Amino acid sequence: MLRHPFAILPMLLALAGSSLPAPAQEPVPNVVVTATRDPVDKSYRKMVRGMERFARQQPALAPGAKLRFRLLPRLPGTRMEGIALKVVGDTVTLPVDVAPDNSFTLARDERAWREDAALVANRRTTSMTWRADVRSPGVPDGMRRLGDLRLECLVGMAAGLVSNNAHLFTWLSDLLTDPDKVCGTPDGNYLFFTERPVFAVTLHAGARSAQLPPRFLYAGGSQAPADLPYCDCQVLLDRSYYAPLWQRDWPDDTLLSFEYMDEPAPPNAPSAPGIVPGLDRAQVRAALGAGTEVAFGSGVQAWLYPPVQRKTEPEQMQYLVLFGADGKVLKSRAVLAFKRD
């Protein structure tokens, strides 16, 4: 089962508490800061290491693919137009060209490496999330290739792109950011984002296909409102999904297709039992019981139901129910429980 990585924080903080220094009792003098560097500006060295990881593993995972980096909104109200980037060191400043889709590449520069430069935006860095973007040629429009996503994860973690804005958790980074652990195990919790609010993700490998269960969507339903400031899915929760990077029986050439919230359900798509468009939340709760309720900023809600065994179904199924802002069912889906979910 996918688990929320910050579930371990209370225990770790409790263990660490006794070793933290006691606060000083003497008055603290006033300090005037004339310039500051955002504590989560991206490290040029780390991003180059991500580029090196891409060069090493691209031939095996994504032959012919190209690497770019991409900026996405993280906080409500973040303006994503007109973003300017530059690499800033002690003596070097290098402008970075940003494409209209807020993607970019980085040039190698020995001075920037030597000076441990930072990649700085004309936005507060915590207002955006950063991702590697790997694209193989020949992938149909609107689909993603699993090998590309595997490489995106490895590059993104090596480049230090995934971060949170809680300085208290910085000392936990080694536990949560090892690329091979994050990208190679079911508990890695590396999030990907679709272009629009997503409802279903389906894997296709030759004649074989399978829909990912609801627990692979919306950060697994693990993000309570108090957790969202520590997740770079903060305003992208309805576009977030996990991919089964660790599942080697799904080859690198596996394609992922997406059904979006604002699209009608495909013909013959199995719905949750007894759930039809127009039902209200009380009626759904009476039919299926309590699910994990995920609320989005748009007013839309998704209810996720874990694997259940019913007499009328030979295998365990999971259910996903989508409600509009008016509280009425838009559509639902029944999905076969996924291996190792």
Side-chain angles (χ1 to χ4, degrees):
M1 175 66 70
L2 297 164
R3 292 199 297 266
H4 180 214
F6 288 102
I8 64 172
L9 290 178
M11 177 182 68
L12 292 173
L13 290 172
L15 291 173
S18 60
S19 63
L20 295 175
Q25 299 301 312
E26 60 272 13
V28 178
N30 291 328
V31 177
V32 177
V33 179
T34 57
T36 184
R37 170 172 150 177
D38 191 312
V40 289
D41 283 340
K42 300 306 174 186
S43 162
Y44 178 80
R45 285 182 181 174
K46 284 187 177 181
M47 295 193 74
V48 169
R49 291 189 182 107
M51 293 158 57
E52 292 170 344
R53 183 95 189 215
F54 174 83
R56 290 197 305 272
Q57 299 198 249
Q58 178 262 348
L61 290 175
K66 303 295 184 183
L67 170 66
R68 296 182 70 83
F69 299 100
R70 192 176 179 192
L71 301 169
L72 296 165
R74 174 170 178 165
L75 297 180
T78 300
R79 187 170 60 87
M80 298 301 293
E81 300 80 22
I83 294 174
L85 287 177
K86 57 186 176 181
V87 176
V88 179
D90 294 331
T91 65
V92 62
T93 300
L94 304 171
V96 177
D97 290 332
V98 180
D101 65 352
N102 290 320
S103 68
F104 62 94
T105 60
L106 282 182
R108 307 275 185 128
D109 187 274
E110 179 60 32
R111 290 179 303 163
W113 175 273
R114 188 171 57 249
E115 295 178 7
D116 192 16
L119 187 59
V120 180
N122 63 340
R123 303 284 188 279
R124 183 158 182 82
T125 313
T126 49
S127 70
M128 300 183 296
T129 189
W130 306 56
R131 283 295 187 272
D133 192 63
V134 175
R135 303 282 174 162
S136 287
V139 176
D141 288 345
M143 302 183 81
R144 297 302 314 271
R145 180 178 174 277
L146 189 56
D148 294 0
L149 299 181
R150 286 174 170 138
L151 191 51
E152 281 187 10
C153 180
L154 292 167
V155 172
M157 298 309 299
L161 298 184
V162 180
S163 62
N164 64 74
N165 62 1
H167 304 171
L168 180 62
F169 301 141
T170 301
W171 60 277
L172 287 172
S173 60
D174 290 342
L175 300 177
L176 303 174
T177 59
D178 178 86
D180 295 299
K181 291 180 180 178
V182 170
C183 305
T185 66
D187 293 329
N189 291 291
Y190 187 91
L191 284 173
F192 299 94
F193 301 108
T194 56
E195 297 299 323
R196 290 155 43 206
V198 66
F199 180 73
V201 181
T202 303
L203 305 174
H204 308 268
R208 180 187 177 203
S209 66
Q211 186 173 316
L212 293 179
R215 292 290 177 180
F216 281 69
L217 302 176
Y218 320 131
S222 64
Q223 298 296 321
D227 296 327
L228 278 174
Y230 309 124
C231 180
D232 60 2
C233 63
Q234 189 165 359
V235 298
L236 299 173
L237 189 60
D238 57 0
R239 293 164 50 183
S240 65
Y241 69 99
Y242 297 119
L245 308 179
W246 62 91
Q247 288 284 45
R248 300 313 307 185
D249 56 331
W250 290 99
D252 292 330
D253 283 333
T254 298
L255 295 177
L256 287 76
S257 65
F258 305 94
E259 176 190 338
Y260 296 103
M261 289 184 182
D262 59 0
E263 295 176 333
N268 302 318
S271 60
I275 305 305
V276 296
L279 294 182
D280 62 29
R281 293 168 186 164
Q283 291 171 309
V284 171
R285 191 175 289 111
L288 297 180
T292 298
E293 301 180 12
V294 184
F296 308 114
S298 62
V300 171
Q301 285 192 14
W303 288 11
L304 287 61
Y305 289 85
V308 294
Q309 189 82 49
R310 294 178 182 269
K311 293 180 180 180
T312 57
E313 296 163 349
E315 299 180 270
Q316 283 191 333
M317 302 293 290
Q318 297 188 36
Y319 306 128
L320 174 63
V321 183
L322 184 69
F323 296 90
D326 62 357
K328 301 297 180 63
V329 171
L330 296 174
K331 54 183 173 179
S332 70
R333 190 62 47 84
V335 184
L336 184 66
F338 197 70
K339 182 181 178 183
R340 292 179 70 182
D341 176 50

